[in-house]
Amino acid sequence: MKNIQIFDKASHNVTTQDFGTNVLLKQPAVVKITIQKEDVLKVEREGNNAVIYLTNGEQIIIENFFLADNSLVLDTGNGQLFWVQFTNDSGAILDEVIYNPLNNIEPLLYDEGHSPLWAITPLAAVAALKLLDDDNDHKTNDTKDTTAPTAPTEVAVSEDGTTVSGKGEPGTTVTVKDSDGNTIGTGTVNPDGTFEVELDEPLTNGEEVTVDLEDGAGNKSPEVTVNAPDTTAPTAPTEVAVSEDGTTVSGKGEAGTTVTVKDSDGNTIGTGTVNPDGTFEVALDEPLTNGEEVTVGLEDGAGNKSPEVTVNAPDTTAPTVPTEVAVSEDGTTVSGKGEPGTTVTVKDSEGNTIGTGTVNPDGTFEVELEEPLTNGEEVTVGLEDGAGNKSPEVTVIAPGGTGETGGTGETGGTGETGGTGETGGTGETGGTGETGGTGETGGTGETGGTGETGGTGETGGTGETGGTGET
């Protein structure tokens, strides 16, 4: 409760009231309230009563104030008094309360039962105060408010970035500005000292704003700076590339964010920070030179992460030489192992390509040849990756079915001009060509009548000269 004293203007008797917030006046009086003028939000007329609204939400009601020549004085507690002028000479409420300094309340009291000059009108009272103030050097008229509001406190931007709230001097105007000084929201401090200002556009990216207060006299408080919450993720980095030597990853992104480079298994292989100009270059733990796929992402100070970007390192590494290379028994295919996805090329001894294929995901390959190789031909096999890097070649020999020493011996077949005119033993000269047919175990391998059965035209035993050719 504020200390309230009621001075009877005629008798000068004083009544002190230390309880309640209602004051009842029965005769002209000076009502002196111990309170700071900054604690007064406004004074209004309600019927014949004067209602003082305080910044803490309380009200002091002075009943019958407008039924007689009554005055309101504030005592700040340090010897400074202010006569509160809140109506004009016609009794209408002023837009702005005027606080007139006083040394004491004597000028407001009646002298020997007569009303002073200023009892006629409030404006006359102001003029009289100039004459009757004890210290002429400190006499003033309706003094303008030159005291700026204190800086707003507990200022914060809402989580969704749509409003700015805080506390300040009731009735003052709140102005919110962006970092460029543009006003993005205004409001008024409530009677309870709180405010909430709606912004033109939500702030969700850590933007810096300033907030200040301005009272009715144009006095401005110091500004307070506050940052909006950052709930906006950085955009994906752009122009991302791995250097030719595979040692760095460069690109562009939101300045100040952290760059993270990961390999295909999700392991971090390099980190850095986007420069103020929006560029970055991150050194990698190990060079990437084999077309490796990496992902690059950004993260801001609030933990918001950008979408990741995938990029491939340059491929300057040749595939290793193919292994376990062999020509199939029937000479129709070449198989082996190598780097998955690489192209297999099989060439003959003259360098002509005779078959191509691709290494399977499991690292195996089987290439079909244009023509079967069955005579011990020599072929080379090499691999080439998508970047044009070529492996060393491997040489392999096709199976040689015609080289079974029996094939020559089978000149019997040639000699087997047989029935055509192979003069018997001449055609196979007694089987000399098959000398003893041992190569084919004589009569067994090409047993006379069986292999080239004399009956066909080999004059029977003559063609093999009986036991002679195959003794």
Side-chain angles (χ1 to χ4, degrees), residues 371-389:
E371 295 291 337
L373 303 176
T374 58
N375 199 27
E377 294 89 344
E378 181 180 276
V379 294
T380 57
V381 182
L383 305 178
E384 183 177 352
D385 62 23
N389 302 303

Side-chain angles (χ1 to χ4, degrees), residues 140-445:
T140 60
N141 55 9
D142 46 339
T143 306
K144 183 180 180 181
D145 182 3
T146 59
T147 303
T150 57
T153 60
E154 299 181 29
V155 180
V157 183
S158 62
E159 283 301 313
D160 61 3
T162 60
T163 60
V164 171
S165 60
K167 292 183 177 180
E169 182 179 313
T172 54
T173 298
V174 187
T175 301
V176 183
K177 296 180 179 180
D178 63 20
S179 58
D180 294 325
N182 302 309
T183 299
I184 57 175
T186 59
T188 303
V189 181
N190 300 316
D192 63 359
T194 64
F195 64 82
E196 185 174 55
V197 176
E198 186 171 350
L199 302 178
D200 296 342
E201 296 291 337
L203 303 176
T204 59
N205 200 26
E207 297 88 343
E208 183 177 274
V209 297
T210 58
V211 183
D212 67 13
L213 306 177
E214 183 176 354
D215 62 22
N219 303 304
K220 293 185 178 182
S221 76
E223 291 181 335
V224 171
T225 300
V226 65
N227 287 87
D230 187 355
T231 58
T232 303
T235 56
T238 60
E239 300 182 31
V240 181
V242 182
S243 60
E244 283 302 314
D245 61 1
T247 60
T248 62
V249 172
S250 60
K252 294 183 178 181
E254 182 180 315
T257 54
T258 298
V259 187
T260 300
V261 183
K262 295 180 179 180
D263 62 21
S264 57
D265 294 325
N267 302 308
T268 298
I269 57 175
T271 59
T273 303
V274 181
N275 300 317
D277 65 358
T279 64
F280 64 84
E281 185 174 54
V282 177
L284 302 179
D285 296 342
E286 297 291 336
L288 304 176
T289 58
N290 199 26
E292 297 90 342
E293 181 177 276
V294 296
T295 57
V296 183
L298 306 177
E299 182 175 353
D300 62 23
N304 303 304
K305 295 183 178 181
S306 76
E308 290 183 329
V309 171
T310 300
V311 65
N312 286 87
D315 187 355
T316 59
T317 303
T320 56
V321 63
T323 59
E324 301 181 29
V325 181
V327 181
S328 62
E329 284 300 317
D330 61 2
T332 60
T333 60
V334 172
S335 60
K337 293 183 177 180
E339 182 180 312
T342 54
T343 298
V344 186
T345 301
V346 183
K347 296 180 180 180
D348 63 19
S349 58
E350 295 178 356
N352 300 309
T353 299
I354 57 174
T356 59
T358 303
V359 181
N360 300 316
D362 64 359
T364 64
F365 64 83
E366 186 175 53
V367 177
E368 186 173 349
L369 302 178
E370 295 173 0
E371 295 291 337
L373 303 176
T374 58
N375 199 27
E377 294 89 344
E378 181 180 276
V379 294
T380 57
V381 182
L383 305 178
E384 183 177 352
D385 62 23
N389 302 303
K390 295 182 179 182
S391 75
E393 291 182 332
V394 169
T395 299
V396 65
I397 307 295
T402 54
E404 323 172 342
T405 65
T408 326
E410 285 180 9
T411 55
T414 309
E416 69 186 49
T417 53
T420 42
E422 62 180 56
T423 61
T426 310
E428 299 202 330
T429 62
T432 332
E434 298 195 353
T435 61
T438 42
E440 302 277 6
T441 64
T444 311

